[in-house]
């Protein structure tokens, strides 16, 4: 597929619909760059929390330090890692204390402006698949191929709970469910680039699908776009 035309593919939807897993696989198949935009908001959240010794979020203080945030992606042993000011923070950004605050940080307009500009820059040569919340609406409104994944919150919570249990993260199903509900609400209700399906995005309910099925379905649509 390497000789086909390069396009921009966007993959939006609420947490734990399989966006990153599917995007990662598609990027390998297509030879495209994959950017998990949520990891950028997570890295910024880590930065914000580290400004306070007790890890209390202070948005007014945080916005003064935005110019000191430098986020990069690098492939190490075939694995994409995210770096915050040259430090590999790929694991730490998944910690519960970051997950609990990320949607409060992601609604800060000054941060969104900074990260959206960086995301646009990643896409300037096309050949990119980016997943997030506002990628098809705000970051790449002209993308050739847009998807919006959905599933009931209970299904998503169960999947995230299983994933975290395997990783040894000590959270109950109820804690995961409450966090997803809270983030769904904050992400859809915020004024600045809320989580929303782009009018031209293809919506896929992945509630009853395996990851393999969802991947195949998206790949079929994409192949029709890049012939
Ligand atoms: O991996 P998970 O589905 O838990 O979430 P994520 O993709 O890592 O995103 C973490 C949070 O970042 C989301 O809940 C949103 O608050 C925010 N986010 C955003 O506002 N805009 C994006 N394009 C991506 C993520
Ligand atoms: O990036 P996003 O938060 O949308 O989801 P993810 O981190 O790729 O997937 C969340 C979890 O759900 C992972 O453990 C996936 O393996 C699982 N999943 C699944 O089992 N079946 C699906 N159809 C979608 C996701």
């Amino acid at each position: 597929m390497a000789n086909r035309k390069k396009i921009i593919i966007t993959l939006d939807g609420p947490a734990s619909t399989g966006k990153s897993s599917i995007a990662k696989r598609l990027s390998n198949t297509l030879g495209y760059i994959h950017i998990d935009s949520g990891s950028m908001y997570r890295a910024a959240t880590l930065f914000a929390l580290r400004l306070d010794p007790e890890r209390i979020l202070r948005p007014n203080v945080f916005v003064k330090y935005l110019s000191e945030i430098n986020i990069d992606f690098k492939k190490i042993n075939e694995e994409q890692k995210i770096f915050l000011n040259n430090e590999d923070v790929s694991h730490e950004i998944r910690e519960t204390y970051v997950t609990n605050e990320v949607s409060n940080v992601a609604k800060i307009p000054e941060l969104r402006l900074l990260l959206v500009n960086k995301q646009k820059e990643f896409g300037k040569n096309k050949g990119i698949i980016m997943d997030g919340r506002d990628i098809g609406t705000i970051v790449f409104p002209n993308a050739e191929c847009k998807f919006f994944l959905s599933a009931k919150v209970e299904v998503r919570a169960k999947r995230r709970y299983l994933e975290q249990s395997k990783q040894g993260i000590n959270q109950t199903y109820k804690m995961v469910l409450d966090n997803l509900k809270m983030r769904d609400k904050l992400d859809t209700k915020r004024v600045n680039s809320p989580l929303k399906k782009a009018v031209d995005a293809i919506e896929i309910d992945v509630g009853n699908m395996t990851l393999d099925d969802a991947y195949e379905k998206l790949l079929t649509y994409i192949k029709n776009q890049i012939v």
Side-chain angles (χ1 to χ4, degrees), residues 15-16 19 36-39 41-42 94 102-103 106 112 132-135 160 183 187 190:
S16 201
K19 301 182 299 295
D36 169 359
S37 67
S39 68
Y41 288 96
R42 284 174 177 272
R94 306 282 156 197
V102 63
S103 293
R112 295 208 77 84
R133 303 293 185 287
D134 59 341
I135 311 305
R160 183 52 57 86
R183 285 202 282 147
D187 292 345
R190 70 170 173 241

Side-chain angles (χ1 to χ4, degrees), residues 17 31 48 68 92 94-95 117 158 160:
T17 41
E68 292 184 21
E92 198 169 350
R94 306 282 156 197
E95 296 276 353
N117 283 337
K158 194 171 158 203
R160 183 52 57 86

Side-chain angles (χ1 to χ4, degrees), residues 112-179:
R112 295 208 77 84
L113 187 67
L114 183 84
L115 295 189
V116 166
N117 283 337
K118 183 143 181 101
Q119 289 154 7
K120 284 181 193 273
E121 188 70 21
F122 281 132
K124 68 178 191 299
N125 295 326
K126 299 206 173 188
I128 186 168
I129 173 155
M130 192 176 290
D131 70 280
R133 303 293 185 287
D134 59 341
I135 311 305
T137 50
I138 303 288
V139 181
F140 298 124
N142 299 323
E144 290 84 350
C145 205
K146 300 183 185 179
F147 298 99
F148 190 90
L149 303 190
S150 59
K152 281 197 186 119
V153 70
E154 290 79 10
V155 175
R156 292 187 277 125
K158 194 171 158 203
R159 287 172 175 167
R160 183 52 57 86
Y161 168 72
L162 283 174
E163 180 187 10
Q164 293 193 346
S165 303
K166 280 187 208 146
Q167 292 166 347
I169 297 177
N170 199 7
Q171 279 217 302
T172 62
Y173 167 77
K174 174 83 170 55
M175 286 156 89
V176 175
L177 179 68
D178 288 347
N179 172 266

Side-chain angles (χ1 to χ4, degrees), residues 9-220:
I9 303 164
T10 68
L11 200 44
D12 289 306
S16 201
T17 41
K19 301 182 299 295
S20 319
S21 311
I22 297 167
K24 187 176 164 190
R25 216 168 136 186
L26 288 171
S27 77
N28 287 333
T29 308
L30 301 167
Y32 276 27
I33 299 167
H34 167 219
I35 301 291
D36 169 359
S37 67
S39 68
M40 299 171 75
Y41 288 96
R42 284 174 177 272
T45 304
L46 181 61
F47 180 93
L49 293 172
R50 281 180 177 176
L51 290 173
D52 184 278
E54 284 167 28
R55 291 178 178 166
I56 294 167
L57 178 65
R58 300 191 202 283
N60 297 343
V61 177
F62 172 59
V63 290
K64 296 194 182 118
Y65 287 87
L66 287 181
S67 62
E68 292 184 21
I69 300 179
N70 201 352
I71 296 171
D72 269 318
F73 292 91
K74 280 180 213 160
K75 264 207 170 162
I76 296 180
N77 299 330
E78 293 305 303
E79 276 293 312
Q80 175 126 301
K81 302 284 181 189
I82 182 162
F83 287 77
L84 170 64
N85 296 334
N86 295 321
E87 175 192 348
D88 182 352
V89 292
S90 310
H91 285 291
E92 198 169 350
I93 60 165
R94 306 282 156 197
E95 296 276 353
T96 304
Y97 76 94
V98 175
T99 305
N100 285 343
E101 286 294 2
V102 63
S103 293
N104 286 317
V105 174
K107 68 182 181 198
I108 299 171
E110 294 89 339
L111 174 69
R112 295 208 77 84
L113 187 67
L114 183 84
L115 295 189
V116 166
N117 283 337
K118 183 143 181 101
Q119 289 154 7
K120 284 181 193 273
E121 188 70 21
F122 281 132
K124 68 178 191 299
N125 295 326
K126 299 206 173 188
I128 186 168
I129 173 155
M130 192 176 290
D131 70 280
R133 303 293 185 287
D134 59 341
I135 311 305
T137 50
I138 303 288
V139 181
F140 298 124
N142 299 323
E144 290 84 350
C145 205
K146 300 183 185 179
F147 298 99
F148 190 90
L149 303 190
S150 59
K152 281 197 186 119
V153 70
E154 290 79 10
V155 175
R156 292 187 277 125
K158 194 171 158 203
R159 287 172 175 167
R160 183 52 57 86
Y161 168 72
L162 283 174
E163 180 187 10
Q164 293 193 346
S165 303
K166 280 187 208 146
Q167 292 166 347
I169 297 177
N170 199 7
Q171 279 217 302
T172 62
Y173 167 77
K174 174 83 170 55
M175 286 156 89
V176 175
L177 179 68
D178 288 347
N179 172 266
L180 291 190
K181 283 183 176 168
M182 178 199 60
R183 285 202 282 147
D184 284 357
K185 197 166 163 191
L186 286 170
D187 292 345
T188 49
K189 298 266 182 282
R190 70 170 173 241
V191 182
N192 209 301
S193 51
L195 165 64
K196 199 169 77 182
K197 180 184 134 8
V199 280
D200 51 348
I202 299 158
E203 181 160 2
I204 301 174
D205 185 336
V206 294
N208 287 320
M209 278 188 197
T210 63
L211 266 182
D212 281 352
D213 291 344
Y215 159 81
E216 291 295 344
K217 186 153 187 162
L218 267 69
L219 187 60
T220 306

